[in-house]
Amino acid sequence: MNPRDIPPEAFHASGAEVQAIDFGYVRSPDQDRAMPAQHPIVVIGAGPVGLSLAIDLAQRGQRVVVLDNDHKLSIGSRAICFAKRTLEIWDRLGVGQRMVDKGVSWNLGKVFLKEEQLYEFNLLPEEGHERPAFINLQQYYAEAYLVERALQLPGIDIRWHNKVTAVAARDNGALLSVETPDGAYQIDAQWLVACDGSRSPTRQMLGLESKGRIFQDRFLIADVKLQGDADFPTERWFWFDPPFHPHQSVLLHRQPDNVWRIDFQLGWDADPEEEKKPENIIPRVQALLGAEAQFELDWASVYTFACLRMDQFVHGRVIFAGDSAHGVSPFGARGANSGVQDAENLAWKLDWVLQGRASPALVATYGPEREYAADENLCNSTRATDFITPKSEVSRLFRDAALHLAREHAFARRIVNSGRLSVPATLHASPLNTPDTDAFAGTQVPGAVLLDAPLTKQGQPTWLLRELGPDFTLLVFGPAPAWARDLPGVTVLQIGIDVIDHQALAAQRLDALPRTVYLVRPDQHVCARWRTPTEAAVRSALARAAAA
Ligand SMILES: Cc1cc2nc3c(=O)[nH]c(=O)nc-3n(C[C@H](O)[C@H](O)[C@H](O)COP(=O)(O)OP(=O)(O)OC[C@H]3O[C@@H](n4cnc5c(N)ncnc54)[C@H](O)[C@@H]3O)c2cc1C
């Protein structure tokens, strides 16, 4: 079946039915050409990162070919925690609400030692944000909604059962060999983006490496579908050394469809094949949920984790994004979340270069920006994994001392690390930032993602992030100067005129006074701000942000 003919209900189905969607194989006219067809952008991999990138590019009017060796959605739930920033990006891509409607929203986490709750934390302790800190949603649902959106956009050509078997990088692009059920063909890509996952065949085919640490521990990940209601609220619960799984850690999360994700730390000596057997999983789950609990095993897997990254994400016209570029342990939910941020960072830059609005130097800035973000994620993820799985007696003593002190002392809670959860990186050192010349308080420094705030527009509720333009936005508190209208490709948003900051939260979060101006990039990162800018200052910041 042509994927565009898949009935919309298929994407609204639950669990097994969604996972059963078969996108099939459709022969492309490229396969009948004597010479390789030329395409401006080819993306390898229809995972969450490749799909988000393709949608962003297609919404910007680009034509994108997506090649995937598979014909189905992700197997098993895999990523379940999607962060506020990912939802905000997906809002721009037209799927945020869909994810939130199906997902389980949560802000609260609790940390236990044995049976005792040590403390709880709120990841979004203030009102006035459209999206929650996190939703839990099985990766196959997230991918299904992204595929459905991609199929609505004429610019995207997803080719399932198209396995890339060779990549030859060239100065002006890359030549790909692709294997399909009815033979091989070649494609000439002006730009190639490898979103082909942690094992990244593209990386291997180009002889490139991802380096880092592999953690000597094993985790059992079990998704169980409960019959009846569980006593656990919609929160993230993390246990150190619980009585039902002594000397190890356990993490519990609620997913849609009354499915619960339980991660059991097993230790390095565990036999993965044995641990995967239902007769060994079920007693572990029963011990946590109680003897009375009735459940079915939905999906299970045994994992070891690695924290790795490529030295460079940009290799001429071949660019790496998502797991192909960097891999983190799941403590903190950074894999898919950071990959979607890679996609957003790259999409506008590629678009601008292909439109001739910027030189390839703009695409090159994707490298240092996202390598910096990957380092931050890897650092957080490594720290969390080291804390959760201490590898020496000294580290274990330190951890246990921190846990005991955390009962009473706030300083120790900051040391306890059950997986600090994903937040977007502030790109402090980005070459696209214009350093502040005026004094500002708060977190909205150049390089930060703009914080959301509730607004009204013509009397109707709206949100600051939703009102930003597709390219740059000049956010002006009060009336914009006359010259602002002549800035090319810039949306001017006047707070107090076009939209009303009725709770004054936008002004508070941006430390804005009357006439304060923020320049916001297409990926919603702040790149410059002033108390009262001149036209020359804004034009210069715009040129800098486009790597001109
Ligand atoms: C158990 C588990 C729990 C996790 N939990 C979280 C979480 O809560 N939050 C979070 O953010 N992340 C989490 N992650 C990580 C998350 O799943 C990954 O980071 C995410 O899937 C990466 O997306 P991607 O698009 O880069 O790669 P992938 O999802 O791996 O997609 C790669 C795609 O490339 C295709 N491909 C591969 N080779 C070829 C080829 N030669 N030709 C064509 N196509 C090819 C594959 O078929 C696949 O579709 C978790 C991972 C696991 C395993």
Side-chain angles (χ1 to χ4, degrees), residues 450 464 468 473-477 493 495 510 516-518 520:
L450 192 76
L464 178 55
L468 299 179
T473 301
L474 197 72
L475 198 63
V476 186
F477 284 79
L493 184 65
I495 308 275
L510 276 65
T516 290
V517 171
Y518 273 71
V520 185

Side-chain angles (χ1 to χ4, degrees), residues 152-168:
Q152 290 162 356
L153 295 166
I156 304 181
D157 175 1
I158 309 185
R159 302 182 188 172
W160 308 96
H161 277 300
N162 273 241
K163 179 180 177 182
V164 177
T165 53
V167 176

Side-chain angles (χ1 to χ4, degrees), residues 210-216 304-309 327-329 378-379 381-387 389-391:
S210 217
K211 292 182 225 146
R213 277 176 70 186
I214 294 174
F215 287 89
Q216 297 209 331
T304 52
F305 299 123
C307 284
L308 310 162
R309 90 154 166 88
V328 285
S329 80
L378 282 160
C379 173
S381 178
T382 305
R383 274 194 199 145
T385 313
D386 280 337
F387 192 85
T389 68
K391 288 292 167 293

Side-chain angles (χ1 to χ4, degrees), residues 81-101:
C81 301
F82 292 103
K84 180 174 190 289
R85 181 65 204 145
T86 305
L87 297 172
E88 290 164 354
I89 295 171
W90 283 343
D91 276 335
R92 245 190 352 88
L93 305 187
V95 287
Q97 193 57 43
R98 191 73 197 278
M99 306 282 183
V100 173
D101 287 346

Side-chain angles (χ1 to χ4, degrees), residues 44-50 67-70 78-82 139 143 162-165 195-198 201 205 221 261 299 303 305 321-324 330 333-339:
I44 310 179
V49 178
L67 304 170
D68 198 283
N69 56 355
D70 202 1
R78 284 180 82 195
I80 58 161
C81 301
F82 292 103
Q139 184 164 332
E143 289 183 11
N162 273 241
K163 179 180 177 182
V164 177
T165 53
C195 304
D196 51 355
S198 56
M205 288 184 274
I221 297 195
R261 157 73 61 85
W299 181 68
Y303 283 93
F305 299 123
D323 275 14
S324 73
R334 292 190 163 78
N337 287 306
S338 63

